[in-house]
Structures are given as structure tokens and as C-alpha cells.
Amino acid sequence: MPDFFSLPRERIATLPTPLEFMPRLTEELGGPRIYLKRDDLTGLAFGGNKTRKLEYLIADAKQKGVTHFITEGGVQSNHVRQAAAAARLGGMQAELVLNTPDDDVPLQGNLLIDDLLGAHCHYAATGPDRKPKMAEIAERVKAQGGVPYIVVSGGSDAVGSQGYVGMIQEMNGQLAEQGVSPRCVYVANGSAGTQAGMLVGQALFGGGYTIKGYCVVPGGAEEITQDTLTLANQCAAHIGADPVDPSLVLCDDTQFGSEYGCPTAEALEAIKLLAHTEAILLDPVYSSKAFAGMMVDIRAGLYANDDAIVFIHTGGAPALFAKVDLLKPILSR
Ligand SMILES: Cc1ncc(COP(=O)(O)O)c(C=O)c1O
């Protein structure tokens, strides 16, 4: 086994996150025993899956003497919000490139937190405009004697994905302690780093469960499966592990809906169900779509009542405040 534990890591997450049985949700759905891995509680400005990736990205940046931590995302990006917080802790200035068609974008949800954290926000009209803008900022930083560090969308590169290699080891320990052997682990797949890291983690630390990722960005299951496999193998190579078995990379695009960021009726039902049973909030862009996919499998009778399954709650609730209009169908008024 490679020496995964000697890799540079900045301890900024609140770990381990709980692995919790959901009794009311299990009863309501009348299916298998459902467990949540609470990565919405990782800490770092409202938590979420990016904290684990940022532990490695910030450590890498620190080793390189970085002064400006540059990254990108949609205007309500959770990754960007957590990157702004991580950069603060690492003593770096966050430079965030956010795409929005809105010239006068309101300070709400994740963007409000970016601002409170003192990040510099730069706006781009579209997603493809972000990369040139990041390069421009990096040049400006260099010209002023600083050291820039550019992080791709979602922190999903070989370094960032390591965070989810470690999550598998942590979760496997909790499953063993609680005597649980899940048949499937469900997770949202946006920029693929979370699922890719989990696949490498499973190859290293074991676990007899299926990992099922739900696509929340356009591209289709085939392309996203390939991207996830490529990233998993880049991460595996980075830490000296063997490549991942391609047959274990499962990405499902049936919950994507009409567009990125727009919750489907099923995702809204998922938000309402988890809030009303366990008082836990899913987000409208990622976790609710993966949760809806898990509900489809349960309702299709895939599991017996004494089976167990795990849902990785990847966080993202701050986006709820910025998407009130889209939540209307499940609000009282
Ligand atoms: C709340 C939330 N869940 C899941 C994901 C997907 O993670 P990844 O981009 O690593 O696939 C994201 C990514 O932005 C996210 O913000």
C-alpha cells in the first residue's frame, strides 16, 4: 500500500464526520436501513465536501509559498465559498472567478459568505470565460511579486481528490464499529473529485459496497463516467496506488433534470422528505438530486428491509437561501 498518510495535509476539517442511522427516514420509505455520512458537517464556513479536498490543496499551496489562492465556480459555488475560508486559514488571499449572467448579482447564500470572508470576487459572463480570467489574475499577481495557485472547478484534481480517499478509510472504520455492511453508497457527482477519490479509497481500504454517483452537470453518464475514471487514475498515480477497475465507476444521469442548478420535482421532494423526517437539509443543486436517485432505487424494490445503504451528504445548504424561487413548490407560501 502507498504511504497515503505521509502526504502533505492541512488539518482544517472537523473530522471524523458522523455516520448516522436515519430511523424516521427509513420508516417513511419502508425500505433498507439508511445511513447518512454527514460531510455537511465538515466545518469551514458551513461545511460540505470541499473541506476534505481543501486540506490537501491548501497544504500543497503552502508548500509552494503561495500568496494568492485562485479558483472558479458558479456564482453560488460551494467549493468557492469553502476555498475562500480555507485560503483565510492558510494565510492566502482568495481570488474567486464566478460566472453569472447577472450584472448586479445579489449578495446572498454562498456569495454573501465569500464576501464576508474577504475574498476578492471577479465576475465572468459564462463558464468558459472563467479560465482566461484566472490566468489573467495569476499574471497580475506574479507581476506584483506574489505567487499564484490556480485550483480547478470543485477542487477536483489529483491533489484535491485525495480528501475522499481518506473519507473512505474513515467511513469504513465507522461501518465496522457499527456492524454495518452497506450494499450501496450514494453520492452526487459534479466535478467528479468526490466520487473519484472514493473509488481510489475503496481500492486501497476495501469495502464491499457499490459506489453510485449521480450526475448534476450536463455531459451524460458515459462522458462523466470516463471523466471520473480518468480523475480517479490521476489521483491513484499521484499517491502511488494502482489504477481503478473501470467496471466499478458507476455514474447515473437520470436525476440531472433540465439544467445544472435547477432542482427537479424529485429533488424538491427529497429536500422536503429529509427535512420533515430527520430535520436535515439537503442542497438544491447536488445532494438532493443524488438523494432522489437513491429514493428511486428504494422504491424500485432494489433492497430488502435488512439491507443497509449509505448516503454521503456533501453539504451545500447555503445555496438554499439564494434559490428561494426554485423551492416554491415545497414552501408554504
Ligand atoms: C454540495 C455539493 N455536493 C456535491 C458536489 C459534487 O462534488 P464533486 O464536484 O467532487 O463531484 C458538490 C460540488 O460542487 C457540492 O457543492
Side-chain angles (χ1 to χ4, degrees), residues 49-50 53 78 156 188-194 283 286-287 314-316:
N49 60 338
K50 300 308 181 301
K53 299 178 181 182
N78 298 302
S156 286
N189 184 325
S191 58
T194 302
D283 85 287
Y286 301 91
S287 55
T314 45

Side-chain angles (χ1 to χ4, degrees), residues 48-50 53 76-79 81-82 153-156 164 187-196 216 231 260 283 285-287 312-317:
N49 60 338
K50 300 308 181 301
K53 299 178 181 182
Q76 281 300 326
S77 165
N78 298 302
H79 157 68
R81 177 238 318 154
Q82 295 206 275
S153 177
S156 286
Y164 273 83
V187 68
N189 184 325
S191 58
T194 302
Q195 190 176 354
V216 300
L231 182 54
Y260 168 75
D283 85 287
V285 182
Y286 301 91
S287 55
I312 310 292
H313 190 343
T314 45

